[in-house]
Amino acid sequence: MWMTNVVALCLLAVAASGDDKQLSSHASTMADQSANLAFSLYHTMAKEKGLENILISPVVVASSLGMVALGGKASTVSQAKTVLSAGALKDEHLHAGLSELLNEVSNPKTRNVTWKISNRLYGPSSVNFVDDFVKSSKKHYNYEHLKINLRDKRSAVNSINEWAAKSTDGKLPEITKDVQNPDGATIANAMFYKPHWEEKFYDKMVDNRAFLVTRSLTVSVPMMHRTGLYKFHEDTENRLFVLDMPLGQKQSSLLYIMPYHLEPLERIEKLLTRKQLDTWLGKMEERAIAISLPKVSMEVSHNLQKTLAELGLTDAVDKTKADLSNISGKKDLYLSNVFHASSLEWDVDGNPYDTSIFGTEKLRNPKLFYADHPFIFLVKDNKTNSILFIGRMVRPKGDKMRDEL
C-alpha cells in the first residue's frame, strides 16, 4: 500500500510538472543566441528601411538558418552556425535545440496565443530533393518542399502568395511581387500572430484617433483603451517609456519602447541593445497605467537574403560559392530569396480583467501610455528568454487625415 501511494504521488508530480518542463541545455543555448540575433537583424534592417514598418521573428529566422545548416556543407554550414553564434555546438545538438525551442514557444496550449507558422523551401524545376534532407527538415523545422518554375515569374509569385494566404487563413494575401534569380532556391516563412492579453480591453472603448506618422502626415486609426496595473519604466534621461503587457498565461509579454513625443525612431534604435533592454526591464515597477493602443493589424514581408548576407551568410546566397548539396545531392543550389512574412494583429481579446481593483487606490493617478506615434515593440518569451518578434510600428494602416507643411 505504501509503495502504491508513492507511485501515485510520483505520477501526480510528473503530471503537474508537465507544463513546467525545462529546456535542454542545447535549446537554452539557442534561445539565448536567438535573442542576440534579434538585435542584429533589427539594426541591419533598420538602416535600410526608412519609414517602413519592421516585423521579424528571430526564432523563425534561426530555424531557417538551421535548415540551411542542415542542407549545407563546408563553409555554408559554418557560416550559418556563426550567424547563430552556435559554432561550438555539434550539428545534431543545433538542430535538436532549435526544434525544441520553436515547439516550446509556439505551443498554443501553454502560450494561449494564436501563432500559425508555415515554412516552405521552393526549388527550381530541375532540382531533386534528397529524401534524408526532406525528412530531417520536416522533423526539425517543419519545412515543406516544392519544385516550382521560377522562370515563369508571374505564375511563381501567384503560387507563393496563394500558399501564404491559405496557410494564414487569408491574413497574408501577398508576401512578394517578384522572385529574384530564378535558378536558385527560395525560403518562405508565412506567419500569423495574434496576442491574447492577460487582461482584455473593453470592446466598447474603441474609437478613431489620429496617429502621427511624421510631422506632415497623420492617419486615422481605431484606438483601444484600458487602465490597469502594469510593469512600467520611464527613462527620463533618454526621454522614453517602456511598458510590459503580459499575454495569455503570462508566459510571454509584449514590450513597448516609445519616445515621449513624435520623432524619428533612429535615436531610440541606437540605444536598443540586449544589455539596454535588460537594464530597462530591471528598473520596471508595477503601477497604474492608462493605455491607448492602435487596434490594427500589421502585414509585413521582408526578403532577408541581403540582410543575412550582411550578417555573415555570404556563401549560401552566392551562386559560385554555395554548397547546399545535402538538399539536392549536388552543388546546384543557392539561396536566391528568403521571404519572411508576418501578420500581427492587435485586438481587444484577452482574459477577464480584475474587477477587484476598480475604484481602489491602486488605480489612482495612472500614468498615460498613449501610442499615437511610432514605437518599437518586442514579444518576449518569459520562460525561455527568447524573443519571438521584434519590430516597429511607424505607419499603421489608416486613412490619411491631413498633410501639412
Side-chain angles (χ1 to χ4, degrees), residues 228-247:
L229 297 177
Y230 292 95
K231 291 181 180 178
F232 179 83
H233 173 61
E234 179 178 357
D235 184 340
T236 54
E237 179 182 353
N238 291 307
R239 306 185 308 283
L240 60 84
F241 302 117
V242 186
L243 173 68
D244 181 326
M245 293 188 67
L247 305 178

Side-chain angles (χ1 to χ4, degrees), residues 102-307:
L102 190 60
N103 287 333
E104 169 65 37
V105 297
S106 63
N107 185 330
K109 292 182 179 179
T110 56
R111 291 302 185 276
N112 197 18
V113 296
T114 299
W115 193 9
K116 295 184 177 181
I117 307 170
S118 298
N119 303 308
R120 259 192 183 177
L121 178 66
Y122 290 94
S125 303
S126 58
V127 76
N128 288 308
F129 293 114
V130 174
D131 286 344
D132 283 349
F133 169 77
V134 170
K135 291 176 183 176
S136 295
S137 59
K138 177 70 175 177
K139 172 186 174 184
H140 291 300
Y141 303 116
N142 201 27
Y143 259 81
E144 301 173 353
H145 310 81
L146 190 71
K147 293 196 284 186
I148 190 173
N149 181 12
L150 293 172
R151 295 187 184 280
D152 184 350
K153 285 194 175 185
R154 178 179 293 182
S155 176
V157 167
N158 287 340
S159 178
I160 293 170
N161 286 335
E162 286 172 6
W163 163 78
K166 184 177 180 181
S167 61
T168 58
D169 297 330
K171 300 295 184 179
L172 281 174
E174 180 180 273
I175 66 171
T176 184
K177 296 181 184 295
D178 191 17
V179 287
Q180 304 293 323
N181 305 316
D183 55 344
T186 290
I187 286 175
N189 311 129
M191 291 166 279
F192 170 56
Y193 186 86
K194 183 178 180 180
H196 183 91
W197 305 111
E198 199 270 327
E199 286 195 79
K200 65 183 180 180
F201 287 75
Y202 186 47
D203 57 4
K204 289 187 171 61
M205 290 184 65
V206 177
D207 55 6
N208 286 330
R209 301 284 181 100
F211 188 97
L212 311 173
V213 180
T214 66
R215 294 188 183 279
S216 61
L217 177 61
T218 302
V219 296
S220 174
V221 299
M223 295 278 279
M224 50 190 184
H225 317 276
R226 82 173 312 270
T227 299
L229 297 177
Y230 292 95
K231 291 181 180 178
F232 179 83
H233 173 61
E234 179 178 357
D235 184 340
T236 54
E237 179 182 353
N238 291 307
R239 306 185 308 283
L240 60 84
F241 302 117
V242 186
L243 173 68
D244 181 326
M245 293 188 67
L247 305 178
Q249 310 297 335
K250 294 188 176 181
Q251 294 271 21
S252 55
S253 295
L254 244 164
L255 303 173
Y256 294 91
I257 304 165
M258 186 177 71
Y260 282 174
H261 308 292
L262 170 64
E263 64 171 278
L265 287 176
E266 183 179 5
R267 179 181 69 85
I268 308 297
E269 288 169 339
K270 288 180 179 178
L271 298 171
L272 187 63
T273 63
R274 190 172 180 186
K275 181 178 180 181
Q276 180 62 68
L277 180 65
D278 289 341
T279 298
W280 285 328
L281 294 178
K283 293 180 178 180
M284 284 190 148
E285 295 180 353
E286 187 175 74
R287 60 165 300 168
I289 308 292
I291 299 168
S292 293
L293 290 177
K295 180 181 177 291
V296 294
S297 61
M298 287 176 67
E299 290 82 39
V300 184
S301 182
H302 305 293
N303 190 341
L304 298 180
Q305 190 221 36
K306 291 181 180 178
T307 302

